[in-house]
Amino acid sequence: MYTAVLTILMGLLPQVREGGMPWLSQMLRFWPFVLIWTWMMIISGLAALNHIFRWKMKEIPFILNHLGVVVAIVAATLGNADIQSLQMTVFTDEPEWRALDDDGALQEPGLAIELHRFTMEEYADGTPKRFASDIAVYTEDGKTVQGTVEVNKPLKVNGWKIYQYGYDVRMGPESTYSVFQLVRDPWIFWVYLGIFMMIAGALCLMFFMAPKPVRV
């Protein structure tokens, strides 16, 4: 219960390196959370091993559930430190390969973005209804990926998700640049794998391990 509450708090509150709310904004440095999290992972791991050593077909749902919890939570927690989030401002027909991290330092993510066209649809009162960017992405390994990026519709290239983040609000539909957010989470596959294992374990319990109805 304590682990669940603290994990929810970590998900709801922005985690920053400095400043923010005491310990709530640096949850991975908060020693009670680390101790409780480690203890829960040890218990879940030992429970999974116990079911593995008692191997029978009926143990499969329990193995999937316990291992899924361990894989998903460990990957999500460790991945929190490895997530990269960058912002790149790209002008029309001017390929850009530099981006800014959360500290304002220049980074080179290993790809370049060229903005071909920025488009915007507006409501009758002039507020933005939809805005998107037609772009080309050039990678270090020689690939060229063409696509359209919208809000909540990113383009995936070499492990990066490229989101439409902003534009020149003064120019509106005539904006000559787009701001993109580049996000990379190398642990996301393992998080999804753990979730899939838990779902598979629950389905096995539901369809194959449910008690048979007793005929009177």
Side-chain angles (χ1 to χ4, degrees):
M1 176 180 176
Y2 294 115
T3 307
V5 171
L6 291 174
T7 302
I8 291 172
L9 285 175
M10 184 173 69
L12 294 176
L13 299 174
Q15 300 296 300
V16 296
R17 296 180 181 178
E18 298 179 359
M21 301 176 65
W23 69 262
L24 286 174
S25 296
Q26 296 95 30
M27 192 69 76
L28 294 180
R29 301 179 186 177
F30 182 48
W31 66 265
F33 171 76
V34 175
L35 290 177
I36 294 173
W37 177 85
T38 303
W39 179 243
M40 194 190 82
M41 291 303 97
I42 291 174
I43 292 175
S44 297
L46 290 176
L49 288 175
N50 181 46
H51 288 291
I52 291 173
F53 290 144
R54 297 186 305 174
W55 174 254
K56 292 180 182 178
M57 289 296 293
K58 67 179 183 179
E59 300 292 338
I60 291 178
F62 302 98
I63 294 171
L64 289 173
N65 283 330
H66 286 90
L67 281 182
V69 169
V70 174
V71 171
I73 295 182
V74 169
T77 305
L78 296 180
N80 182 70
D82 292 332
I83 293 176
Q84 293 177 274
S85 180
L86 308 174
Q87 285 190 22
M88 180 184 290
T89 301
V90 183
F91 287 84
T92 305
D93 298 326
E94 296 183 19
E96 180 60 72
W97 65 95
R98 298 160 299 177
L100 296 176
D101 61 19
D102 292 336
D103 297 323
L106 279 174
Q107 304 288 340
E108 295 185 8
L111 50 81
I113 300 176
E114 182 177 8
L115 174 64
H116 292 317
R117 186 178 62 149
F118 174 80
T119 58
M120 175 186 286
E121 298 176 9
E122 297 178 311
Y123 290 104
D125 61 358
T127 57
K129 178 180 180 181
R130 171 186 174 271
F131 54 93
S133 298
D134 296 329
I135 63 173
V137 183
Y138 309 104
T139 66
E140 288 183 325
D141 55 5
K143 291 192 302 185
T144 299
V145 179
Q146 305 274 353
T148 300
V149 180
E150 299 181 42
V151 177
N152 297 325
K153 292 184 179 180
L155 183 66
K156 299 179 182 179
V157 181
N158 282 16
W160 289 96
K161 285 186 177 181
I162 304 172
Y163 292 87
Q164 178 74 52
Y165 187 76
Y167 57 94
D168 188 346
V169 294
R170 296 173 301 176
M171 298 291 292
E174 304 301 322
S175 176
T176 58
Y177 68 81
S178 282
V179 182
F180 301 104
Q181 184 175 40
L182 284 65
V183 179
R184 186 174 189 175
D185 184 357
W187 291 84
I188 193 64
F189 168 79
W190 298 102
V191 175
Y192 288 143
L193 177 62
I195 294 173
F196 174 79
M197 291 171 66
M198 288 187 284
I199 294 174
L203 291 176
C204 286
L205 281 173
M206 183 183 303
F207 293 107
F208 302 113
M209 306 300 294
K212 297 181 180 179
V214 178
R215 294 182 179 179
V216 179

